[in-house]
Amino acid sequence: EVQLVESGGGLVQPGRSLRLSCTASGFTFGVCAMSWVRQAPGKGLEWVGFIRHKAYGGTSEYAASVKGRFSISRDDSKSIAYLQMSSLKTEDTAVYYCSREESGNSDYWGQGTLVTVSS
Amino acid sequence: QLVLTQSPSASASLGASVKLTCTLSSGHSSSAIAWHQQQPEKGPRYLMKVNSDGSHRKGDGIPDRFSGSSSGAERYLTISSLQSEDEADYYCQTWGNDIRVFGGGTKLTVL
């Protein structure tokens, strides 16, 4: 059974950093791209970024709203994807979901972790 | 620019059918999309991928009541025999080499 579990959310002050983790199980993590998607309170889904698997260079792409502030990495030996968030703004407040990708689309989702950016 | 357009809301009666629409922006009418369901207070759930020829492939455990189709730049999700648990937000998603895009979502109310 495919499982994705996000962790690391919480309350953080504007301008600070936070790292989220997505721990995967039930599939061969190393051959899958992984995405991060967020949902601000009462809003729709917003793509944050994704990381390709190693066979495609393991490189990442980001939405314009987070480019230069957020970074995605992966540890295939631990089946974990990370979202490093820096210079956080109040508008980054959201539930953050990780998802497994299959040829571009998300096909499995985690339960999400809430990040609140507030002073 | 790759954009997906969805109507903000839809409604249908219990036991009836409903067809939700997702429209691809100009120049992207051959793109595939995916449909996701988000029930209240829950995370998203992948429903299916719909190709430009109308073929679709559903995710694990998705009931036969859910089906997909296409016409031009429009991609559809049809839910038949509506049940109360189908009341949810439905999002379409598409992708390019270096981008992923979600539509604004359709809130489905089951009357």
Side-chain angles (χ1 to χ4, degrees):
Chain A
E1 178 192 8
V2 173
Q3 284 197 322
L4 300 169
V5 179
E6 301 93 339
S7 59
L11 175 63
V12 61
Q13 293 179 326
R16 303 298 291 265
S17 297
L18 196 65
R19 189 180 78 163
L20 306 182
S21 299
C22 170
T23 303
S25 60
F27 64 100
T28 305
F29 181 81
V31 300
C32 291
M34 299 296 293
S35 259
W36 286 93
V37 176
R38 68 183 180 183
Q39 187 170 36
K43 303 296 185 181
L45 300 177
E46 179 190 13
W47 172 66
V48 172
F50 77 94
I51 185 165
R52 300 176 177 88
H53 57 83
K54 289 293 194 305
Y56 283 86
T59 52
S60 304
E61 307 289 347
Y62 302 94
S65 58
V66 305
K67 199 168 187 178
R69 299 189 300 123
F70 289 14
S71 176
I72 300 173
S73 60
R74 62 190 297 155
D75 185 337
D76 291 348
S77 68
K78 297 180 179 179
S79 297
I80 300 177
Y82 300 100
L83 177 64
Q84 178 69 48
M85 305 183 291
S86 60
S87 303
L88 281 162
K89 307 175 182 179
T90 55
E91 52 263 42
D92 295 319
T93 294
V95 175
Y96 284 74
Y97 298 99
C98 72
S99 67
R100 187 184 84 165
E101 288 202 350
E102 194 277 324
S103 300
N105 66 274
S106 298
D107 69 346
Y108 285 93
W109 295 82
Q111 84 291 346
T113 187
L114 175 62
V115 173
T116 303
V117 184
S118 174
S119 54
Chain B
Q1 191 177 1
L2 186 52
V3 175
L4 296 173
T5 302
Q6 300 181 251
S7 297
S9 63
S11 62
S13 299
L14 199 65
S17 294
V18 68
K19 189 174 187 179
L20 306 182
T21 303
C22 174
T23 304
L24 288 149
S25 51
S26 178
H28 298 280
S29 61
S30 63
S31 295
I33 67 115
W35 285 103
H36 305 278
Q37 177 195 60
Q38 188 176 31
Q39 294 173 321
E41 307 306 319
K42 290 190 174 182
R45 177 191 185 192
Y46 169 68
L47 295 176
M48 68 184 70
K49 176 181 178 180
V50 182
N51 296 307
S52 59
D53 63 359
S55 61
H56 60 279
R57 182 168 59 85
K58 290 191 280 189
D60 295 339
I62 304 303
D64 292 342
R65 304 187 295 106
F66 292 80
S67 62
S69 58
S70 293
S71 177
E74 296 189 331
R75 306 288 180 265
Y76 308 108
L77 172 68
T78 300
I79 312 171
S80 59
S81 302
L82 273 168
Q83 301 181 5
S84 57
E85 59 262 34
D86 298 331
E87 186 160 290
D89 294 324
Y90 291 84
Y91 295 92
C92 55
Q93 177 197 20
T94 194
W95 51 92
N97 288 338
D98 58 359
I99 192 171
R100 309 300 187 241
V101 176
F102 287 93
T106 297
K107 184 177 185 62
L108 175 64
T109 300
V110 178
L111 304 172

